[in-house]
Amino acid sequence: MAYEVLTDAQAAHFVAQGYVKLEGCFEKAEIQDWLDLAYARLGYDRDDPSTWEADRIHMPSMNRRAVAEFAPKAWGGICDVMGGIERVQGEPSWGDGFIINFHKDADDPWLPSAKRGGWHKDGNFFRHFLDSPEQGLLTVVVWDDVLPNSGGTYLAPESIPKVARYLYDHPEGLEPGAFGKQIEGCEGFVEATGKAGDVYLIHPYMLHAAAPNPSGRPRFITNPPVAFKEPMNFNREDPEDFSLVEKVVLNALGVERLDYQITGEREQYYTEFRRERERMLEEQKARLAALAGV
Ligand SMILES: O=C(O)CCC(=O)C(=O)O
Ligand SMILES: [Fe+2]
């Protein structure tokens, strides 16, 4: 299959490991204003760590950029793993709703392990099925350099087949919080490190968890989901037509194709998480207005 951006090796890596890292998708200088603004929005002083009250915070987005224009390489890669631009929902944009890990568990020398809490599958806003379109892809956009042992998200590639089996066994659907226990038995973990401008494209079934950050350097990422227009189709006539995301699921289940029907209702949730982001946004706008003397 011909890809816009991915090399065959990168496509193979996505199929085998459930993720691929694309380097240099944008220049940090282009988004420095967003990083600077984040401190002002929070009322923190960049140069005074004692003002970094939250150990880790998930901000709401205040500004947005269209991925296709801002980071064409990432956009091409997204389309490659999702099976073509025509299968991607809408025109995805990235916002400055940073997930900043200032100093989470800074004194905790843990290494990634299945015993640690916090492992989850993304998508708190819908009921999950094997073919769910809402979280077609999990992405990690790296907005500032993340060195090893500095709060980079931990990924658990071995969780993908377990999550696939669990979803397969539950055609009635599963609630977003139901997946964490699938981490049991996973042993190999990947730390999402990188340079500003790197982007991880990650299979939607990948369990992952926030990591400790003892480095003293705030870790800036976002996790925007990319949706499919239609539910995944595991029964395409021509095997060449399966997206890489679908292929990972078929491989995980050990089948070449699958005639799969859900038995429950698809549902979307308006979450407390979202309500809280809306409240934070109002608070941050008011803080910026006060700073500007409005
Ligand atoms: O902060 C992190 O490293 C992980 C964030 C995450 O997975 C999430 O917010 O869903
Ligand atoms: Fe997550």
Side-chain angles (χ1 to χ4, degrees), residues 99-134:
I99 310 171
I100 312 174
N101 185 333
F102 283 102
H103 44 69
K104 178 183 157 57
D105 300 333
D107 301 322
D108 178 355
W110 74 283
L111 292 169
S113 98
K115 294 204 174 60
R116 178 84 188 189
W119 294 103
H120 65 280
K121 176 183 191 296
D122 265 16
N124 59 8
F125 56 95
F126 62 95
R127 188 167 173 83
H128 291 236
F129 299 91
L130 190 73
D131 62 355
S132 285
E134 294 91 341

Side-chain angles (χ1 to χ4, degrees), residues 191-233:
E191 201 182 3
T193 57
K195 292 224 177 310
D198 293 351
V199 177
Y200 285 79
L201 309 181
I202 305 170
H203 195 275
Y205 294 1
M206 179 81 80
L207 294 186
H208 56 282
N213 184 5
S215 71
R217 287 181 308 275
R219 188 286 325 251
F220 283 76
I221 60 160
T222 53
N223 271 176
V226 189
F228 283 114
K229 259 186 212 155
E230 304 281 339
M232 288 190 261
N233 180 352

